[in-house]
Amino acid sequence: NAGVTQTPKFQVLKTGQSMTLQCAQDMNHEYMSWYRQDPGMGLRLIHYSVGAGITDQGEVPNGYNVSRSTTEDFPLRLLSAAPSQTSVYFCASSRLAQPRHEQFFGPGTRLTVL
Amino acid sequence: GQQVMQIPQYQHVQEGEDFTTYCNSSTTLSNIQWYKQRPGGHPVFLIQLVKSGEVKKQKRLTFQFGEAKKNSSLHITATQTTDVGTYFCAGYSGGGADGLTFGKGTHLIIQP
């Protein structure tokens, strides 16, 4: 199993550009989520999904969209990038529909918005 | 909403010294999870505590869950350079799919 994979590893955008961060898992996990990690702020939940076709907002959803058309994939879209979105983004998954147990994290995408 | 406070933010120790990080939740937790993130890496699950007063050990690491299920600690005995990284607690409130809240982490820096 590859676990949780994320692409790209690094990305530089200009203000106003849009892009999609990819996330996939091959463990048949129901729950998937996106976090951003900023210095001194820990991990903050952006969006999450409890299964295919079901998504919801986390703590910091503004400026981001998600969809979950399959169990495996959970892409994160930045609609119009802003410098405040410079961060490290982690995708995570867990077996059940709630984050009650171990979260498996992807390697992260380091995003810089100029 | 639920808040999970973690202290200290940074801890410098000499190799061989002990290290402890503490988590406090504003609400009673269903369980607490601990993660380690190496520099430049991603968080990796260490352990989960569920029962009131629970104590679990992994080699030199000891994890405790408070009697009231609102606080937890991670203690490392005789630190080694491989222990360097950031340790996060994550409290699960049981309230739903957004019920997992991470602390801000404790950065462990070890001086040889």
Side-chain angles (χ1 to χ4, degrees):
Chain A
N1 286 352
V4 180
T5 57
Q6 290 184 240
T7 56
K9 285 186 169 37
F10 300 93
Q11 183 70 50
V12 179
L13 293 177
K14 294 181 179 179
T15 297
Q17 287 185 314
S18 62
M19 80 159 293
T20 299
L21 308 185
Q22 301 292 344
C23 174
Q25 54 90 10
D26 61 358
M27 299 174 282
N28 201 33
H29 284 176
E30 292 188 43
Y31 185 87
M32 296 186 74
S33 56
W34 278 102
Y35 290 88
R36 60 177 290 172
Q37 184 174 35
D38 303 292
M41 299 296 292
L43 292 157
R44 292 184 292 169
L45 182 65
I46 304 172
H47 284 285
Y48 62 93
S49 168
V50 299
I54 307 169
T55 64
D56 209 340
Q57 297 180 350
E59 179 188 356
V60 288
N62 291 344
Y64 308 94
N65 274 356
V66 291
S67 60
R68 186 131 178 240
S69 55
T70 66
T71 299
E72 295 78 20
D73 299 298
F74 190 44
L76 178 73
R77 280 182 287 278
L78 279 70
L79 308 172
S80 176
S84 61
Q85 293 178 304
T86 293
S87 188
V88 181
Y89 291 86
F90 289 103
C91 178
S93 73
S94 63
R95 185 169 56 89
L96 301 178
Q98 294 187 357
R100 176 180 295 276
H101 299 299
E102 175 180 359
Q103 303 294 302
F104 292 80
F105 284 84
T109 294
R110 284 148 181 81
L111 176 68
T112 301
V113 182
L114 302 175
Chain B
Q2 176 187 324
Q3 292 186 337
V4 175
M5 307 299 293
Q6 190 172 356
I7 58 169
Q9 188 175 358
Y10 293 92
Q11 183 74 60
H12 291 79
V13 301
Q14 296 283 339
E15 188 176 6
E17 291 182 337
D18 292 356
F19 159 78
T20 305
T21 174
Y22 301 90
C23 268
N24 283 289
S25 170
S26 58
T27 60
T28 302
L29 298 171
S30 178
N31 69 50
I32 194 157
Q33 304 165 21
W34 284 91
Y35 294 80
K36 177 183 179 181
Q37 183 178 23
R38 295 182 187 274
H42 59 276
V44 175
F45 176 82
L46 293 175
I47 208 162
Q48 177 176 289
L49 305 173
V50 179
K51 299 177 183 176
S52 169
E54 189 169 15
V55 178
K56 286 189 176 180
K57 294 190 176 184
Q58 289 180 348
K59 297 183 180 178
R60 293 178 294 104
L61 278 61
T62 301
F63 303 84
Q64 293 188 321
F65 201 10
E67 293 291 339
K69 300 184 73 172
K70 295 182 73 173
N71 58 74
S72 182
S73 65
L74 158 60
H75 180 81
I76 302 178
T77 303
T79 55
Q80 300 174 358
T81 54
T82 54
D83 296 325
V84 163
T86 303
Y87 292 85
F88 292 96
C89 62
Y92 180 64
S93 64
D98 63 346
L100 187 67
T101 302
F102 280 82
K104 293 185 178 180
T106 296
H107 300 265
L108 174 59
I109 298 118
I110 298 177
Q111 295 153 343

